[in-house]
Amino acid sequence: MNARQTKVTIKTNERIAHRYCRLVLAAPSLARTARPGNFIMVKVPDAAGVLLRRPLSIHRAEAARGRIELLYEIVGPGTDALSRKRSGDLIDVIGPLGNGFDVRTRARDALNILVAGGVGVAPLVFLAQRLKKGKVLALIGARAEAHILCAGDFRRLGCEVRIATDDGSAGFRGRVTDLLEDVLMRIRRKKDFRPVLYGCGPAPMLKAMARVCRENRLQSQVSLESHMACGIGACLGCVVQTTRGYERVCKEGPVFRTDDLVW
Ligand SMILES: Cc1cc2nc3c(=O)[nH]c(=O)nc-3n(C[C@H](O)[C@H](O)[C@H](O)COP(=O)(O)OP(=O)(O)OC[C@H]3O[C@@H](n4cnc5c(N)ncnc54)[C@H](O)[C@@H]3O)c2cc1C
Ligand code: FES
């Protein structure tokens, strides 16, 4: 894949809920070449003390309209400065980066289960756009109802949606991985579908997901969010331990099979 450094124009940058923003960029080349699970390194403009670019997943790509979308949570100075950029501003990005999810042909009886924790939902909407075979069930985990993201986006793409909230304010009360176990138990009884799992979210959630997959002997791919300095494979600042040795999240990842990772 040819990652390029380029300046792109912000079309819109809106707060959609709580501290979550959706950024739409006019970026025809990225929109054409990006694959689900790819990310870009964003140079954060005018943020005091923020030297390094920030990695953000591609949330949607529309080649026909020449635009991509990002979904980000304001958690620190970089994302805060980004949230203050307005339509018409230019930002400098490098991408698309990373390996992306493997979306090669699956059997028609596949049940693609997307497991999202918090803003980890970002790359999974793009994935749902591109999964061609089988049904898609999106399990969205959030702290509370106000933090649920993208349920409408998944529904508009024809996916079934189930919600889990830590405080029980919407959907299943508990963690999204508890909901996953519940869903898998019901599927096992029916035997109609072959579950194929994809996940993105905080590390403890992905670890729990890996355990559930191991116990159920299921294939799964997860996108990791480690700290990144360069994003292009040069600094070794993002390595994780895999069964093959240390690998770079930005280059060999960010998507890994759960059984290849040493948890
Ligand atoms: C491949 C990849 C894709 C990502 N995609 C998205 C996305 O689509 N949307 C989104 O909101 N965020 C995403 N992130 C996380 C995002 O890069 C960080 O939230 C961002 O860099 C924080 O920058 P900041 O300056 O605002 O905050 P900082 O001051 O840098 O950090 C604020 C807090 O967030 C923690 N943090 C920062 N970076 C990370 C990280 N990479 N992983 C875990 N914790 C971190 C810090 O430890 C600190 O507690 C992604 C990360 C990676 C590696
Ligand atoms: S962030 Fe530098 S090698 Fe991955």
Side-chain angles (χ1 to χ4, degrees):
M1 177 177 316
N2 290 330
R4 289 198 327 167
Q5 179 177 352
T6 170
K7 283 199 167 57
V8 294
T9 308
I10 294 178
K11 292 193 80 71
T12 57
N13 188 19
E14 291 165 347
R15 200 172 282 227
I16 53 163
H18 201 64
R19 296 183 65 76
Y20 306 100
C21 303
R22 197 187 304 264
L23 175 62
V24 181
L25 298 170
S29 164
L30 279 166
R32 225 178 20 255
T33 54
R35 293 173 30 206
N38 286 157
F39 65 96
I40 60 175
M41 292 296 282
V42 179
K43 188 169 180 181
V44 185
D46 316 325
V50 179
L51 298 175
L52 300 171
R53 290 171 182 267
R54 297 302 196 247
L56 292 172
S57 303
I58 295 175
H59 172 50
R60 281 172 173 276
E62 289 183 69
R65 298 173 76 186
R67 55 187 237 176
I68 63 162
E69 291 181 24
L70 310 179
L71 173 70
Y72 62 94
E73 180 176 7
I74 302 171
V75 293
T79 44
D80 183 51
L82 191 59
S83 73
R84 281 184 263 108
K85 290 282 134 193
R86 292 290 160 251
S87 120
D89 289 348
L90 286 175
I91 52 169
D92 188 303
V93 302
I94 301 175
L97 296 164
N99 59 350
F101 289 100
D102 177 1
V103 291
R104 275 173 295 185
T105 320
R106 307 274 179 204
R108 288 192 186 282
D109 66 349
L111 174 61
N112 299 292
I113 305 181
L114 316 189
V115 187
V119 78
V121 72
L124 299 180
V125 171
F126 188 15
L127 177 63
Q129 275 188 302
R130 294 289 170 90
L131 284 169
K132 297 280 180 252
K133 293 269 172 72
K135 289 186 165 197
V136 181
L137 168 62
L139 307 183
I140 304 175
R143 264 171 277 167
E145 188 169 18
H147 295 261
I148 298 166
L149 297 168
C150 304
D153 298 289
F154 283 118
R155 290 195 184 102
R156 278 188 287 280
L157 289 167
C159 312
E160 188 184 336
V161 174
R162 298 278 310 272
I163 307 277
T165 50
D166 295 345
D167 66 357
S169 50
F172 180 93
R173 176 193 286 269
R175 289 170 302 189
V176 71
T177 45
D178 298 333
L179 174 60
L180 172 64
E181 289 196 273
D182 186 65
V183 164
L184 291 176
M185 205 171 63
R186 287 164 205 270
I187 291 171
R188 245 199 328 263
R189 284 202 209 113
K190 286 196 194 158
K191 294 189 177 159
D192 289 344
F193 297 108
R194 259 184 325 126
V196 183
L197 281 88
Y198 308 84
C200 188
M205 181 209 111
L206 298 182
K207 187 173 177 179
M209 186 176 157
R211 177 189 53 76
V212 174
C213 293
R214 202 168 45 245
E215 288 170 3
N216 288 273
R217 296 189 187 166
L218 292 171
Q219 284 182 37
S220 66
Q221 304 171 44
V222 292
S223 181
L224 302 183
E225 291 193 356
S226 71
H227 289 266
M228 288 184 180
C230 72
I232 55 169
C235 73
L236 303 184
C238 64
V239 294
V240 285
Q241 204 178 348
T242 74
T243 53
R244 299 175 289 267
Y246 285 102
E247 291 192 348
R248 298 161 296 184
V249 174
C250 67
K251 201 74 184 173
E252 287 75 42
V255 179
F256 294 87
R257 289 172 53 112
T258 47
D259 49 12
D260 288 343
L261 290 165
V262 178
W263 299 94

